[in-house]
Amino acid sequence: MITIDNYLDNHYIHRSNWLRAAVLGANDGIISVSSLAIGIAAASSTREPIVLATIAGLVAGALSMAAGEYVSVSSQTDTEKADIERESRELKEMPEEELNILAQIYEKRGLKKETALQVAIELTEKDALATHIRDELGINEISQANPIQAAIASGASFTVGGILPLLVVLFAPVKVMEYCLYGFTIVFLIILGTISAKTGGSNVRKAIIRITIWGTLAMGLSALVGYIFGVKV
């Protein structure tokens, strides 16, 4: 039975925060590590420097991804908290003006002026701050970001994504390493695009095309750099 407490369970929007971080991390892990390995492979005739560079890129990338995600999401959270504190002060200092603003918001959404004012009054009486946070600032439980969750999702997914091209580096023949990396990476990206689209309820074909095109560009440019500066190592 669908109720107000579980009606979002079958929707995709509540997955948006962690799904974004996870897809970004996995995509970055696959493309970054593959591109790095392709660039080194294009200028190397032995496996050791390719493996070393790939592992270094995997470790550094995972840590950087987690740290960057934590810092960026924390900044977003700090901004939200600052706005909430400001809203709290304004409600104490000018409650009438804030009530009118709330009524205008509801009126713009389609309510009649009298109805909008009545809704604003009733919601303000129940919980003024929560109402303004949701309807004036646009902050709700779904949109609020979690820095720790985002950092873990990004770092872990980058690691998982980066391990896939590392396996290719470890087992593929050195002479055709670039081609193996490109081929397997495209397969990895297609799988990632399919999983992310299915999880988020979006178009699978569009996700695959988008992720494959950008992955191909990144790897192609990395291989070009490797050939241009192709000092054998």
Side-chain angles (χ1 to χ4, degrees):
M1 179 180 177
I2 298 177
T3 66
I4 191 64
D5 296 318
N6 63 17
Y7 77 102
L8 277 180
D9 290 351
N10 292 325
H11 290 71
Y12 299 104
I13 189 64
H14 65 282
R15 305 175 183 175
S16 60
N17 282 328
W18 66 262
L19 181 60
R20 178 195 63 82
V23 171
L24 177 62
N27 181 72
D28 200 18
I30 293 172
I31 294 178
S32 297
V33 176
S34 291
S35 299
L36 175 62
I38 288 174
I40 300 298
S44 177
S45 56
T46 58
R47 188 183 305 274
E48 287 75 14
I50 307 174
V51 174
L52 179 61
T54 304
I55 293 175
L58 173 59
V59 174
L63 295 175
S64 175
M65 196 74 183
E69 193 72 17
Y70 180 83
V71 170
S72 64
V73 174
S74 294
S75 298
Q76 177 186 337
T77 304
D78 290 343
T79 301
E80 291 175 352
K81 289 180 179 178
D83 260 345
I84 291 172
E85 291 175 1
R86 177 180 178 180
E87 196 64 34
S88 179
R89 288 196 304 270
E90 290 176 347
L91 284 169
K92 294 177 181 178
E93 295 170 359
M94 47 183 193
E96 290 298 324
E97 289 85 345
E98 287 295 306
L99 179 64
N100 289 330
I101 289 173
L102 200 59
Q104 291 173 34
I105 291 173
Y106 297 143
E107 190 176 350
K108 284 186 176 181
R109 290 179 182 177
L111 296 180
K112 294 180 180 178
K113 187 171 184 178
E114 297 78 11
T115 306
L117 181 58
Q118 185 61 35
V119 170
I121 291 172
E122 292 186 18
L123 289 176
T124 298
E125 290 175 350
K126 185 175 189 253
D127 191 333
L129 182 58
T131 301
H132 281 268
I133 289 172
R134 181 185 64 249
D135 294 330
E136 185 179 339
L137 302 180
I139 301 173
N140 54 52
E141 292 180 358
I142 294 175
S143 65
Q144 280 185 312
N146 185 319
I148 297 294
Q149 182 188 60
I152 292 174
S154 293
S157 57
F158 184 100
T159 302
V160 172
I163 285 175
L164 297 175
L166 175 60
L167 293 174
V168 178
V169 168
L170 291 173
F171 298 106
V174 176
K175 289 184 179 180
V176 292
M177 179 89 62
E178 304 101 301
Y179 307 105
C180 290
L181 279 165
Y182 174 76
F184 277 104
T185 298
I186 292 300
V187 173
F188 299 150
L189 290 174
I190 290 174
I191 294 172
L192 174 63
T194 303
I195 293 173
S196 63
K198 290 285 187 182
T199 306
S202 57
N203 185 280
V204 174
R205 183 182 177 186
K206 186 183 293 185
I208 290 174
I209 292 174
R210 180 172 57 234
I211 203 170
T212 302
I213 289 175
W214 285 105
T216 299
L217 286 173
M219 290 184 290
L221 290 173
S222 298
L224 180 62
V225 171
Y227 281 114
I228 292 175
F229 299 97
V231 179
K232 293 297 180 181
V233 292

